Amino acid sequence: MRAVVQRVSSSSVTVDGNIIGEIGIGFNVLIGISKEDTLEDLKYIKDKIINLRVFHDENDKMNLSLLDIKGEILVISQFTLYGDCRKGRRPNFMEALGGEEANKLYEEFVKLLKESDLKIECGEFGADMKVQINNDGPVTILLDSKRNF
């Protein structure tokens, strides 16, 4: 599982002209699911996200987590995080999990996040979404459950 985690002052997602998810201070999280992912991958990424210490403390140091500040999360599924562009000019998405299987893992991931008692908003799996991201910093962190980076 891969995640692009962006610290935001606000973020929203729109489908067919309607806002379906919106947050204030917290994280916009783009999630990619691979064919190899299991529940353990979901738990690893969830724990990393909610405990990342990238929010400023009283000394203006990035030392606080999302849990510490009671931040919010907007989760967006994005299979293109598994686009392999090493060969040619067209991304290869062979490692991305698709369809109903990916949706089940995405829903399970959202469920795990909601156990944290933080406000969790979501995009619509498989939809054409417009995502507004007001990156704060900017701070962007890449996570990979297989620890490839």
Side-chain angles (χ1 to χ4, degrees):
M1 177 175 243
R2 290 185 178 160
V4 175
V5 180
Q6 295 178 301
R7 186 179 75 184
V8 298
S9 55
S10 65
S11 187
S12 64
V13 59
T14 303
V15 174
D16 295 328
N18 299 310
I19 294 176
I20 63 167
E22 188 171 28
I23 64 165
I25 295 171
F27 288 146
N28 178 283
V29 179
L30 306 174
I31 290 293
I33 301 170
S34 82
K35 293 178 179 179
E36 297 178 5
D37 287 336
T38 66
L39 182 59
E40 293 309 310
D41 294 284
L42 278 62
K43 289 178 180 177
Y44 174 83
I45 295 293
K46 174 246 180 184
D47 287 339
K48 281 289 189 184
I49 289 169
I50 66 173
N51 291 296
L52 279 174
R53 293 172 36 194
V54 297
F55 294 93
H56 294 285
D57 65 14
E58 66 278 358
N59 297 314
D60 206 30
K61 300 287 183 198
M62 288 199 311
N63 197 33
L64 301 176
S65 73
L66 200 61
L67 293 172
D68 294 328
I69 68 156
K70 297 183 180 21
E72 303 171 353
I73 301 175
L74 177 59
V75 185
I76 307 292
S77 63
Q78 187 172 355
F79 80 96
T80 60
L81 292 181
Y82 276 95
D84 184 347
C85 299
R86 292 176 290 179
K87 183 177 174 184
R89 296 182 182 183
R90 178 186 234 167
N92 171 334
F93 299 107
M94 297 300 291
E95 295 304 312
L97 184 64
E100 189 57 35
E101 292 176 72
N103 189 23
K104 285 179 185 175
L105 286 178
Y106 172 75
E107 293 296 332
E108 184 64 28
F109 180 70
V110 170
K111 182 179 163 189
L112 288 171
L113 284 174
K114 287 183 177 181
E115 292 174 359
S116 67
D117 290 328
L118 297 170
K119 177 183 176 185
I120 310 297
E121 296 279 317
C122 304
E124 182 180 324
F125 185 88
D128 180 20
M129 297 175 275
K130 306 299 180 215
V131 183
Q132 178 69 40
I133 301 169
N134 296 311
N135 198 323
D136 179 20
V139 173
T140 301
I141 306 293
L142 303 176
L143 299 174
D144 185 292
S145 63
K146 304 300 186 212
R147 296 165 181 88
N148 289 324
F149 49 81

